[in-house]
Structure formats: C-alpha cells, structure tokens
Amino acid sequence: MRTWMLRMTIATALTLAGAASAFAQATGQITGSVVDSVTSQPLAGAQVVVTGTKLGAVADANGRFTVQGVPAGQVTVRVQRIGYAPAEDTVTVSSGATTTVDFRLEPRAVILKEVVAVGYGTQRKEDVTSAVTSVNSEDFVQAPARDAASLIAGTIPGLSVTT
C-alpha cells in the first residue's frame, strides 16, 4: 500500500512538473527599441503594450524595452509617447523565443485645451461668457518697459491697467 501511494505521489509530481514546463514554454518575449524618426535619438519613457493583454513595458534611457510572458502566436504591439504619434506592429511570438520589433515614432504636436486665468480662478476658454483676448510673448518684446503692467497696457483694446 505504501509503495502504491509513493508511486502515485511521484507520478502526480511529474505530471504537474510537465504541465508547468509546457505552460512556461507557451510564452515568449518581445524586445526592441523606440527612437525618434527624425533624429534617431532613443525615446526613454515610451510605453509599450501588447494589445488585448495587461502585458507591457516602458522604454529605458536607451529606448530599449522587454516584454516578458507574451503568449505564443501573432500579437499586436503598440507604442506611444507624449509628443509623438502612436505606432503599432503585428509580430509572431514563438514559444520560449525572443521576438524583436523596433519602432520609429513620428513627432506630433500635442494640442491642449486653452485655459483662461481670471481674477477669481481659472476656467476653460469655451466656458467664459465674456470677451477673451490672447496676448503672445511677441507682443511684449516690442519696447522696453519698467514693469509687467506697462507691458500689457495698450496691447489689448479696452483693457485698463491699474498699478
């Protein structure tokens, strides 16, 4: 009876070890780099994700990344970074192997919502019911001034500056 129990325990352990080994080999990893398409400089901080999963990585200071535990098969890899257009590539990951994919991101301006500073807080420009005027730094460089109030005076019609 003891021999039979010992044999069953060993058989169960071998079966579980084989299943764990098969599961571990059903994944691979993806490595690569992310660079600026214009300057070819590495883009540190770019976020790399395998779409449809929770797997991802962040590019290091050299623009390099590694995503581990990627399921074997065809997957889509997406990379994004502020100031650049996102990019995607579809790659095939083999069990126990490393797949390499490199990205060259195109610079793209980020457009933010305008904010208006008012005397009692801040508001979005579209929420302000009164007239809103913008002043750029080019408007200030035209002549020397003794203080900030004199710089603004006369640049916006109807604006009265009190010091």
Side-chain angles (χ1 to χ4, degrees), residues 54-71:
K54 294 182 180 182
L55 302 173
V58 176
D60 64 14
N62 298 318
R64 306 281 310 157
F65 66 90
T66 300
V67 181
Q68 298 180 347
V70 181

Side-chain angles (χ1 to χ4, degrees), residues 70-161:
V70 181
Q74 197 170 33
V75 296
T76 301
V77 181
R78 178 178 171 85
V79 63
Q80 61 187 21
R81 185 172 189 272
I82 293 177
Y84 293 87
E88 287 186 352
D89 197 0
T90 302
V91 296
T92 302
V93 177
S94 301
S95 280
T98 299
T99 303
T100 302
V101 59
D102 296 319
F103 292 96
R104 297 181 65 79
L105 297 186
E106 297 285 332
R108 182 174 71 184
V110 177
I111 299 173
L112 303 174
K113 290 184 178 179
E114 291 182 334
V115 174
V116 177
V118 292
Y120 47 88
T122 59
Q123 295 182 355
R124 291 194 327 251
K125 188 173 183 177
E126 60 265 14
D127 293 340
V128 177
T129 58
S130 59
V132 174
T133 302
S134 298
V135 179
N136 296 324
S137 61
E138 294 84 26
D139 298 331
F140 298 133
V141 183
Q142 295 176 4
R146 26 173 216 180
D147 59 12
S150 0
L151 281 173
I152 297 172
T155 59
I156 302 171
L159 176 68
S160 126
V161 178

